[in-house]
């Protein structure tokens, strides 16, 4: 979302908040065939009844995160960005058959709206037809517009 001319983004660091872990999802590992090449939504602010998720205000425009890829198969990559922007044009983690079992990287993602739910990031998995991986996303802080 665009900031008003009188607003400046302010970063608010926080303790890691687990936003997504495919190891606990019934569909299992994330893969491009599971989403037909479309990004999967991750609701950074989804469960507002969870006290941890209340630490990120609804007005947050972006989050900092750490994405961890575990048990990767094939040659592939993951992109994390605001839902609707994650299109496979960049990657935050890439792997092949020689990569370690666990790889992590950090980044910043805008928050967008998906299915009338604000505070959404998108995960895009790309690569070979046989690529699959478990994905873990921890939110480590957020940006909020502060009017000056």
């Amino acid at each position: 979302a665009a900031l008003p001319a009188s607003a400046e983004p302010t970063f608010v660091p926080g303790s890691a908040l687990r936003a997504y872990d495919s190891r606990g999802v019934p569909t299992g590992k994330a893969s491009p065939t599971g989403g037909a090449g479309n990004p999967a939504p991750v609701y950074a602010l989804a469960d507002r009844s969870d006290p941890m998720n209340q630490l990120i205000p609804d007005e947050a425009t972006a989050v900092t995160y750490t994405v961890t890829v575990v048990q990767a198969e094939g040659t592939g990559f993951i992109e994390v960005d605001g839902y609707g922007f994650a299109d496979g044009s960049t990657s935050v983690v890439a792997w092949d058959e020689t990569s370690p079992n666990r790889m992590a990287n950090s980044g910043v993602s805008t928050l967008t709206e998906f299915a009338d739910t604000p505070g959404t990031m998108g995960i895009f998995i790309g690569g070979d037809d046989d690529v699959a991986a478990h994905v873990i996303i921890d939110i480590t802080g957020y940006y909020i517009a502060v009017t000056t």
Side-chain angles (χ1 to χ4, degrees):
L3 297 176
S6 63
E8 294 188 21
T10 299
F11 178 66
V12 180
S15 298
L17 164 65
R18 179 76 27 105
Y20 181 77
D21 189 340
S22 67
R23 295 174 299 177
V25 176
T27 55
K29 291 183 177 181
S31 69
T33 54
N38 294 317
V42 172
Y43 302 105
L45 312 177
D47 184 4
R48 301 308 276 165
S49 64
D50 181 337
M52 287 299 292
N53 280 350
Q54 293 174 13
L55 297 176
I56 303 173
D58 290 337
E59 299 80 22
T61 58
V63 293
T64 56
Y65 65 86
T66 297
V67 60
T68 305
V69 175
V70 296
Q71 300 172 347
E73 302 170 14
T75 298
F77 67 92
I78 182 169
E79 178 185 4
V80 179
D81 204 346
Y83 192 85
F85 296 102
D87 59 5
S89 60
T90 64
S91 70
V92 67
V93 176
W95 65 88
D96 64 19
E97 62 279 347
T98 65
S99 298
N101 185 38
R102 182 177 309 257
M103 298 153 286
N105 201 356
S106 297
V108 177
S109 174
T110 57
L111 294 176
T112 57
E113 189 172 296
F114 174 76
D116 296 325
T117 303
T120 307
M121 301 172 1
I123 298 175
F124 186 98
I125 303 282
D128 295 341
D129 289 339
D130 63 344
V131 71
H134 279 300
V135 178
I136 303 160
I137 297 181
D138 295 320
I139 305 299
T140 57
Y142 62 88
Y143 287 88
I144 190 164
V146 175
T147 305
T148 56

